[in-house]
């Protein structure tokens, strides 16, 4: 019981607050696990501790499902972190062009930004146009996308990242295309948003269904994986 209280106070409550079980989603739980994974990479917490905290959350939601408070447990299929260090499969230099060519036009600017700047996905999704200085070829990183909204970056420090001329043109074109679709305020509008969908065959969302909102981290992750598989199976 002491472990339950400890995990709730230190890890679950700060992330989810006093949310009711009926309001918690699988996407939020996965975002929380992704944030915990970053802490593990930084050496601030052990993966076993994170998995134990997830176990507490799963147990609580299992009870809520048994009591009929929720139809299913949204955390039941969230994967636990590996306990043994595994070598990460980074992109090699010769794979970059092929990977970018495999991305859809919707996600290509984000992929190019991640590769060209080294930003984390959470940092890129929190970028606003006010943080992008195209004339100075620089991006100012202030915030990070988190399960409960936006917050400080992993290191809790502002930094400026230089941008190459190729990426500047990609971002300039993206900004122009966004300006044609929706009216936005550079101080408030995110750089990477869900595009406006005008026909069923197009990617994006309808005007009244989320067009112009920040891209979803889980959707982006799945898209990145799909592009990676396409590039790995493309002929040399």
């Amino acid at each position: 019981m002491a472990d339950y209280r400890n995990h709730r106070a230190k890890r679950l409550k700060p992330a989810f607050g006093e949310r009711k079980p009926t309001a918690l989603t699988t996407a939020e739980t996965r975002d929380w696990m992704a944030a915990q994974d970053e802490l593990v990479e930084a050496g601030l917490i052990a993966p076993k501790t994170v998995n134990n905290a997830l176990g507490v959350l799963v147990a609580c939601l299992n009870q809520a499902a048994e009591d009929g408070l929720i139809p299913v447990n949204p955390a039941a299929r969230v994967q636990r972190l590996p306990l043994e260090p595994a070598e990460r499969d980074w992109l090699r230099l010769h794979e970059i062009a092929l990977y970018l060519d495999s991305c859809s036009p919707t996600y290509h600017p984000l992929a190019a930004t991640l590769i060209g700047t080294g930003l984390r996905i959470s940092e890129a999704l929190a970028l606003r146009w006010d943080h992008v200085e195209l004339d100075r070829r620089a991006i100012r990183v202030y915030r990070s996308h988190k399960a409960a909204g936006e917050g400080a970056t992993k290191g809790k420090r502002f930094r400026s990242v230089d941008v190459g001329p190729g990426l500047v043109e990609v971002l300039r074109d993206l900004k122009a295309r966004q300006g044609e679709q929706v009216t936005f305020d550079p101080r408030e509008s995110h750089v990477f948003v869900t595009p406006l969908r005008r026909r069923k065959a197009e990617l994006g969302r309808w005007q009244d269904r989320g067009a112009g909102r920040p891209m979803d981290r889980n959707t982006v992750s799945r898209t990145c994986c799909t592009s990676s598989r396409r590039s790995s199976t493309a002929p040399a």
Side-chain angles (χ1 to χ4, degrees):
M1 186 61 70
D3 284 343
Y4 271 59
R5 288 195 294 266
N6 185 47
H7 285 303
R8 180 180 182 276
K10 288 187 176 181
R11 279 165 279 280
L12 300 177
K13 188 174 180 180
F16 303 111
E18 298 294 341
R19 300 283 300 281
K20 294 182 178 180
T22 52
L24 193 62
T25 66
T26 300
E28 288 176 309
T29 309
R30 285 176 176 155
D31 281 348
W32 172 72
M33 284 295 287
Q36 297 301 302
D37 190 22
E38 291 186 355
L39 296 179
V40 170
E41 289 185 6
L44 299 177
I45 191 173
K48 186 175 186 299
T49 302
V50 176
N51 290 341
N52 289 343
L54 176 62
V56 171
L57 180 62
V58 169
C60 293
L61 294 175
N62 276 340
Q63 187 62 55
E66 290 179 9
D67 293 343
L69 299 176
I70 54 177
V72 294
N73 183 346
R77 295 188 177 183
V78 175
Q79 291 187 347
R80 285 164 168 73
L81 300 181
L83 297 181
E84 296 183 1
E87 181 181 356
R88 294 184 180 272
D89 187 17
W90 307 108
L91 275 178
R92 276 62 173 179
L93 285 176
H94 69 276
E95 297 174 327
I96 291 177
L98 189 58
Y99 175 77
L100 292 176
D101 288 342
S102 300
C103 289
S104 69
T106 299
Y107 294 100
H108 180 275
L110 173 59
T113 299
L114 293 173
I115 292 174
T117 63
L119 266 64
R120 299 179 179 87
I121 289 181
S122 57
E123 293 173 338
L125 295 181
L127 280 179
R128 301 174 189 269
W129 282 114
D130 193 39
H131 304 160
V132 180
E133 301 181 58
L134 295 176
D135 293 336
R136 295 183 57 189
R137 295 184 181 178
I139 290 177
R140 291 175 281 120
V141 184
Y142 291 107
R143 305 177 68 78
S144 178
H145 175 80
K146 302 180 184 299
E150 290 184 4
T153 61
K154 180 178 173 182
K156 294 182 172 57
R157 292 182 180 179
F158 150 80
R159 71 182 188 277
S160 180
V161 180
D162 293 334
V163 178
L167 181 55
V168 167
E169 291 308 311
V170 169
L171 294 175
R172 199 185 300 278
D173 178 67
L174 174 64
K175 188 175 184 180
R177 285 188 283 114
Q178 286 184 8
E180 294 173 355
Q181 292 186 340
V182 293
T183 302
F184 63 90
D185 181 348
R187 295 168 298 179
E188 299 295 334
S189 297
H190 288 78
V191 174
F192 302 109
V193 298
T194 305
L196 177 64
R197 184 181 185 184
R198 294 189 175 92
R199 296 187 299 272
K200 287 186 177 181
E202 293 180 343
L203 294 173
R205 295 186 178 180
W206 303 109
Q207 182 70 53
D208 59 345
R209 296 293 181 88
R213 294 178 185 173
M215 287 184 177
D216 174 75
R217 177 171 178 161
N218 290 315
T219 301
V220 169
S221 297
R222 289 193 295 271
T223 303
C224 289
C225 291
T226 300
S227 299
S228 180
R229 288 195 296 270
R230 288 175 181 169
S231 62
S232 64
T233 57

